Amino acid sequence: MEQIRQTKQRRSFLEFAKDILIEAFFQTLYMTAVATIFATIIGFIIAITLVITDSNGLRPNKKLNVLGGIINTIRSFPFIILMVAIIPLTRFIVGKAIGVNAALVPLTIGAAPFIARVIESSLKEVDKGLIEAAKSFGASNTQII
């Protein structure tokens, strides 16, 4: 009798693992991969904008450099609060607020500022002499970027 119960429990767990856990694993993999790609693209654009508009950048612009403050604000939000706060945006973009595809929006928005800061710090480490040399050879700002 005891062996029958254990066999039923094992089967039910194996079925659970096969049906639910494997599907959830691939959904998680999909969400993280797609959100990482989008967050990297957005973060790269933000980082380049921040570096160019910095006071020591190629085209200093204090008004556009306010973007750095917005990034710091988004970075300080706990993810669950950010996720709830942007439900209307998620519904607008995806059409629903819950699900695998709906999770991509807050994951992307939550990760993009962190990636932007990492890329920005890497770009700011570029030697100023290298940029001056490129300018002296006649390179345009777009070529330098």
Side-chain angles (χ1 to χ4, degrees), residues 7-25:
T7 306
K8 285 184 180 180
Q9 288 177 347
R10 286 184 188 157
R11 276 193 195 145
S12 64
F13 178 75
L14 291 175
E15 290 171 2
F16 170 77
K18 187 176 97 177
D19 295 340
I20 296 176
L21 289 180
I22 292 174
E23 181 183 356
F25 172 75

Side-chain angles (χ1 to χ4, degrees), residues 7-132:
T7 306
K8 285 184 180 180
Q9 288 177 347
R10 286 184 188 157
R11 276 193 195 145
S12 64
F13 178 75
L14 291 175
E15 290 171 2
F16 170 77
K18 187 176 97 177
D19 295 340
I20 296 176
L21 289 180
I22 292 174
E23 181 183 356
F25 172 75
F26 285 112
Q27 287 174 346
T28 303
L29 195 63
Y30 165 75
M31 286 186 294
T32 54
V34 173
T36 300
I37 291 167
F38 285 137
T40 303
I41 292 168
I42 293 169
F44 193 72
I45 293 168
I46 292 170
I48 289 177
T49 304
L50 286 172
V51 170
I52 291 171
T53 60
D54 189 34
S55 60
N56 296 328
L58 293 173
R59 302 191 82 175
N61 186 344
K62 289 184 180 181
K63 291 179 183 177
L64 194 57
N65 209 0
V66 172
L67 187 62
I70 295 169
I71 287 177
N72 288 337
T73 304
I74 294 174
R75 283 179 57 194
S76 65
F77 267 81
F79 178 72
I80 192 74
I81 295 172
L82 177 69
M83 188 171 69
V84 171
I86 63 170
I87 284 176
L89 178 66
T90 304
R91 279 198 182 128
F92 176 75
I93 293 172
V94 181
K96 56 184 179 176
I98 298 175
V100 176
N101 290 329
L104 295 174
V105 177
L107 282 172
T108 302
I109 292 173
F114 289 97
I115 294 173
R117 286 295 182 200
V118 169
I119 295 172
E120 178 192 15
S121 66
S122 296
L123 291 174
K124 283 187 174 182
E125 289 181 10
V126 173
D127 187 24
K128 300 291 181 199
L130 183 64
I131 295 172
E132 290 298 322

